[in-house]
Every structure is written in structure tokens, then in C-alpha cells.
Amino acid sequence: MAMNMLKRILITGATDGIGKQVAYELSRLGHEVIIHGRNAGKVNQTVDDINNSPGNGFGNGLVADLSSLRQIESMVEEIYGKYDYLDVLVNNAGVYMQQYELSADNYEMTFAVNHLATFTLSLKLLQLIRRSSQGRVITVASAAHESSPRLDFDNLYRKSHYNAYDTYAQSKLCNVLFCYELHEHLKNTAVTSNCLHPGVVDTKLLRAAFDISGASPEQGAENSVYLADANEVESISGKYFVGKQIRKSSVYSYDVASRKKLWNLSEELSSTSY
């Protein structure tokens, strides 16, 4: 079996839960990991823990609040100033908001962090990712997307009514639609776009949202680590993974018109284009 190429991997939301475990696992495989978080203390602690663990790769940190397009732009500038390429972007950061809240840009917070930040960061970093011999964009979605029968474009990013779970499910449906449309844009490049369901994992988000426990972070990290590291997926793109296997996402997630409409809306809201 061919040895896996060591990679430079940026993981968003990597100071807690699944993202932190993904960072540890990829570092243990020898990869260079870039830890993103919104709390500088937690970012520094995670980076120190990785760098002080024997046998690991090495880590660096980035601090930004992904609910702010301005902070995303500042982080992107910092990344381009530090790195000349990026092999993998793992869009892991996500929120579940019990109450309605607006982002700094006046978009509903769940939509802003879970989808719009993913869209914006991915597009802005594509120039670096395309410098990799085989770049990968990995988006952590959720089986919750299946609970959303369709996107309500009239009530997507500024809510006229608010339900926490429905809003979260819509944002995860956005993740899947984005993954598939990004794949279409990347067809003539060496960059792939895939998404995944990590499982019902015992994280801060799960406990806050549903007051239940779930699988271990180690189990929750498996899909992301697999898609970032494995040679056998280097030519696979535009797929949804569950348990390291390709699975069908919801019927609606294959709706081309909705996929393109979401892409165009996201370009307009973020002032970002492919």
C-alpha cells in the first residue's frame, strides 16, 4: 500500500469536540495541522498540546470569529501571509443556537457560522488549495439535513420565525448543497469536495442542543480524518460519507436548481465569488 503523503491541513473549530480530536489524530499521522478557534487561549493550548506530544506532526494556530465576515477576511489574509499552499481544508466549525441571534453582518447566527462562513472561507482559500498536488475541501454536515425537506429561501438568513432544530437542519442541508456545487466548480481541477455525517457524538454542541450524550469524539473524528488522509479517496469528489462509506444524502440535496440558487445567494451575501 502506498504511503500517505504528509499534508498541511487547516481545521476550523479545532479547540473542542470533534475538531480538536481531528487535529490530534491528523497530527499523530505526521501531518502539519493548523488549528482555528475563536478563543486565543484555547487555540494556543491546543497547539501547545499537539507540539508537546511525542511522535506528532506540528501545529500552528489561527484566531477568528467565523460569524464575522470581516474576521474571516482578516484570517484569510493571515493565512496567505504565512503559507504558500494548503492541502486540506476541514470545515468543521459549527453552532447550534437555542435562541435567535444575529451575526455581526445581520444574518441569523446558525446560517452565518455553519454555512456562510464555510462558503466564504472555502472560496477565499481555493487559490492556496489549488497549489496542492491534490487539494481537498471537506465539509462536516450532519444527518440532520434529512430533516429539512427543502430550503426556505424566503426565510433563510433573517428569520421571520425561529426554531432551533429546524434552523440547524437547514444549515446542514446548506452544507451538503454547497459541497455538491463546489464539486461542480472544481471538476477541471485537482481539488475535491466531499461532505460527511460524523455521527451523533458526545460534544459540547450535542449536550447544549439536545441534553444527551453520544459516541466518543474519537469515533466522531473518523470520517474527517479518513477524508483528509486516505489515498483511496484522492480522486473521489462530490460525495456524502457516513462511516467512511459513500451514502446517499437526502433527495432534495440533489436538486440542481436549489444548489445553484444557494450558491448565487451566498456569493451575494458574502461578497465572495469563485
Side-chain angles (χ1 to χ4, degrees), residues 5 55 69 79 90 109 120 155 157 164-165 241 248 250 267:
M5 180 183 73
L69 291 171
I79 292 168
V90 182
M109 188 65 78
T120 306
N155 190 35
Y157 58 95
Y165 181 76
F241 282 78
K248 287 286 187 182
S250 70
E267 285 190 330

Side-chain angles (χ1 to χ4, degrees), residues 56-239:
N56 281 8
F58 60 97
N60 288 296
L62 294 166
V63 179
D65 184 342
L66 296 186
S67 70
S68 165
L69 291 171
R70 186 176 67 178
Q71 289 200 34
I72 293 172
E73 180 64 38
S74 295
M75 183 173 77
V76 167
E77 290 177 5
E78 183 179 352
I79 292 168
Y80 275 90
K82 288 182 175 179
Y83 304 105
D84 56 356
Y85 71 92
L86 185 65
D87 294 300
V88 183
L89 169 62
V90 182
N91 288 306
N92 170 81
V95 297
Y96 184 103
M97 304 297 295
Q98 294 285 11
Q99 305 295 328
Y100 176 76
E101 188 175 331
L102 288 174
S103 71
D105 306 291
N106 288 318
Y107 304 135
E108 188 279 318
M109 188 65 78
T110 310
F111 175 83
V113 175
N114 293 6
H115 168 65
L116 200 59
T118 292
F119 177 89
T120 306
L121 189 62
S122 298
L123 264 62
K124 287 185 178 296
L125 292 180
L126 276 179
Q127 183 179 333
L128 279 185
I129 299 169
R130 290 184 68 170
R131 292 176 188 167
S132 169
S133 60
Q134 198 279 291
R136 306 181 187 192
V137 179
I138 300 161
T139 301
V140 179
S142 168
H145 84 275
E146 298 175 16
S147 302
S148 195
R150 65 187 61 81
L151 284 187
D152 181 0
F153 282 99
D154 295 325
N155 190 35
L156 190 58
Y157 58 95
R158 290 196 181 104
K159 297 288 180 181
S160 59
H161 54 83
Y162 187 78
N163 176 282
Y165 181 76
D166 289 349
T167 302
Y168 178 77
Q170 286 257 303
S171 74
K172 295 289 108 178
L173 178 57
C174 288
N175 287 159
V176 180
L177 289 164
F178 163 69
C179 166
Y180 293 166
E181 184 62 16
L182 181 62
H183 160 70
E184 293 297 324
H185 282 75
L186 294 172
K187 273 187 171 177
N188 295 320
T189 76
V191 181
T192 60
S193 170
N194 291 296
C195 56
L196 64 98
H197 168 55
V200 179
V201 182
D202 191 13
T203 61
K204 185 172 66 176
L205 186 151
L206 183 74
R207 293 189 295 273
F210 306 107
D211 195 27
I212 59 173
S213 60
S216 69
E218 288 83 358
Q219 290 170 297
E222 285 180 355
N223 261 321
S224 294
V225 171
Y226 174 70
L227 288 175
D229 173 70
N231 286 336
E232 58 261 35
V233 295
E234 66 180 15
S235 61
I236 296 174
S237 186
K239 302 299 182 185

Side-chain angles (χ1 to χ4, degrees), residues 43-60:
V43 169
N44 292 336
Q45 184 62 60
T46 304
V47 170
D48 286 347
D49 289 347
I50 285 173
N51 289 338
N52 291 326
S53 298
N56 281 8
F58 60 97
N60 288 296

Side-chain angles (χ1 to χ4, degrees), residues 11-27:
I11 307 133
T12 65
T15 60
D16 285 299
I18 295 171
K20 187 174 184 177
Q21 191 64 40
V22 170
Y24 277 112
E25 297 293 339
L26 289 170
S27 176

